[in-house]
Amino acid sequence: GENVEQHPSTLSVQEGDSAVIKCTYSDSASNYFPWYKQELGKRPQLIIDIRSNVGEKKDQRIAVTLNKTAKHFSLHITETQPEDSAVYFCAASFGANNLFFGTGTRLTVIP
Amino acid sequence: GAVVSQHPSWVICKSGTSVKIECRSLDFQATTMFWYRQFPKQSLMLMATSNEGSKATYEQGVEKDKFLINHASLTLSTLTVTSAHPEDSSFYICSARVWSSYNEQFFGPGTRLTVL
């Protein structure tokens, strides 16, 4: 099955700086890669996703890049704000199969 | 769109009792719903995949007789934790899949179960 690894497990940045979270996956057939943000005690919220036919996708301060050859994808948050502090999860799946989640990254934005 | 609700949001029960958690897709039909368990500071672990009108598919290590799943309609799936024990205390989250070419899932708000 698919195995998703995520790094780092914790990340602290100064407000206004950029944050980068990286994930690798093992199954070359995976073609859908969402990123979720989870605040303490709340549901994971889909913040951005990318499909295997695209190398990069951007939505305001958030961007995701995908390298299919290397089987890794990254989340980039620019101009970080305190409200970006949360746990971020990457995930991967193939078609209609289950999502496989990374282990999460706890991002802290220091005001 | 794509709103998923979950009830109850939290529950405290005595050891040995059973607890039912409901997951509803409010504005779309979900042929497939997923049940996850999340322990503190850990990732989401898939417990089972629930398909409307058929038996759930359980992940390895998840006892199907302990975690009963019923997906009786296109908008409702239920998870019943039978004979709950303190080690079952966790955050249970459901998600529903929006059918498309890819696997977009939207999560419910979760249910925090505490077994005394």
Side-chain angles (χ1 to χ4, degrees):
Chain A
E2 176 65 276
N3 180 47
V4 179
E5 295 188 356
Q6 184 171 346
H7 300 281
S9 56
T10 60
L11 178 61
S12 293
V13 299
Q14 290 292 137
E15 182 177 359
D17 288 350
S18 297
V20 180
I21 303 171
K22 299 181 179 181
C23 288
T24 60
Y25 60 99
S26 61
D27 189 349
S28 57
S30 290
N31 58 4
Y32 176 62
F33 309 92
W35 285 89
Y36 290 87
K37 175 184 179 182
Q38 186 180 29
E39 297 179 6
L40 187 62
K42 296 188 177 180
R43 78 183 82 195
Q45 298 269 17
L46 178 69
I47 56 172
I48 196 167
D49 57 14
I50 192 167
R51 295 166 177 129
S52 60
N53 58 345
V54 176
E56 184 175 357
K57 183 177 179 180
K58 190 174 182 180
D59 182 4
Q60 299 183 337
R61 296 186 297 109
I62 296 173
V64 58
T65 59
L66 171 65
N67 184 326
K68 285 182 61 180
T69 303
K71 288 188 284 189
H72 67 69
F73 55 113
S74 301
L75 177 71
H76 304 253
I77 306 174
T78 58
E79 300 173 26
T80 54
Q81 301 168 1
E83 50 266 38
D84 294 330
S85 296
V87 178
Y88 292 81
F89 292 98
C90 63
S93 75
F94 167 67
N97 293 335
N98 302 333
L99 282 175
F100 292 87
F101 284 87
T103 49
T105 297
R106 182 172 300 278
L107 173 64
T108 303
V109 179
I110 304 167
Chain B
V3 178
V4 178
S5 71
Q6 206 170 322
H7 178 81
S9 57
W10 60 270
V11 57
I12 301 173
C13 69
K14 292 182 179 180
S15 185
T17 60
S18 294
V19 175
K20 179 186 282 189
I21 302 170
E22 293 186 348
C23 178
R24 295 182 184 271
S25 57
L26 299 185
D27 52 359
F28 66 100
Q29 293 183 331
T31 54
T32 303
M33 290 183 174
F34 302 89
W35 286 97
Y36 296 85
R37 181 166 50 184
Q38 187 177 35
F39 292 107
K41 298 185 179 181
Q42 293 189 21
S43 189
L44 292 92
M45 300 302 297
L46 180 66
M47 298 175 65
T49 302
S50 169
N51 294 296
E52 186 267 337
S54 64
K55 291 182 178 180
T57 302
Y58 290 82
E59 295 300 301
Q60 191 172 9
V62 178
E63 299 176 55
K64 62 181 181 180
D65 294 330
K66 180 171 181 64
F67 299 99
L68 302 179
I69 291 172
N70 187 300
H71 193 158
S73 77
L74 288 171
T75 60
L76 173 65
S77 176
T78 60
L79 168 68
T80 300
V81 183
T82 62
S83 187
H85 291 285
E87 56 266 31
D88 297 323
S89 299
S90 187
F91 194 50
Y92 292 86
I93 309 178
C94 71
S95 72
R97 183 163 67 199
V98 179
W99 183 257
S100 65
S101 300
Y102 294 90
N103 196 3
E104 297 181 60
Q105 291 186 29
F106 294 88
F107 286 84
T111 296
R112 183 159 303 284
L113 170 63
T114 302
V115 185
L116 302 177

